[in-house]
Amino acid sequence: QVQLVESGGGLVQPGGSLRLSCAASGIIFKINSMGWYRQAPGKVRELVATITRDDSTNYAASVKGRFTISRDNAKNTVYLQMISLKPEDTAVYYCNADIVHPGSLFAMDYWGKGTLVTVSS
């Protein structure tokens, strides 16, 4: 019913920048919170940043001041602007969205398939 498709990952040198995008498509009434999570090799998935429908944001301490999350409600899209990237930012980045379907009182949790970000010289 709903797909989340991430884009924008790739290889970047330390200190570089990338912008990730995630577009939600399908049968959507509204999207509540959206967010980005990441999973590095051998580690558990962790929160990177979240944003509510009214643009209230929350960041992991490790990315605060370097990453900026934003969204375009008209396009059902969330972005993650990343600057001053470090090797420890290397991970698969996953998009997450809390979506309400038409006629439903409750939201459902959806995940994208992930996009790989590699920070290396």
Side-chain angles (χ1 to χ4, degrees):
Q1 282 186 316
V2 169
Q3 277 193 317
L4 300 182
V5 179
E6 301 102 334
S7 61
L11 173 64
V12 63
Q13 291 187 341
S17 302
L18 278 177
R19 189 190 193 214
L20 305 183
S21 300
C22 171
S25 62
I27 304 173
I28 298 170
F29 173 61
K30 71 173 181 178
I31 302 177
N32 294 333
S33 64
M34 303 184 82
W36 290 95
Y37 292 73
R38 67 186 181 186
Q39 187 166 15
K43 296 189 175 181
V44 298
R45 191 175 297 187
E46 63 176 4
L47 168 76
V48 176
T50 61
I51 184 167
T52 64
R53 187 169 179 81
D54 59 358
D55 291 336
S56 177
T57 59
N58 179 54
Y59 295 93
S62 59
V63 307
K64 198 171 291 186
R66 299 188 298 121
F67 291 10
T68 302
I69 189 170
S70 60
R71 64 189 284 174
D72 183 333
N73 290 331
K75 295 181 179 179
N76 289 336
T77 299
V78 63
Y79 306 96
L80 186 69
Q81 178 68 51
M82 306 183 292
I83 66 171
S84 301
L85 282 160
K86 305 174 181 180
E88 51 264 43
D89 295 317
T90 295
V92 177
Y93 284 70
Y94 296 92
C95 174
N96 173 262
D98 200 40
I99 294 175
V100 180
H101 296 291
S104 175
L105 295 176
F106 305 103
M108 293 183 65
D109 198 41
Y110 289 91
W111 291 88
K113 294 182 178 180
T115 184
L116 177 63
V117 172
T118 303
V119 184
S120 175
S121 55

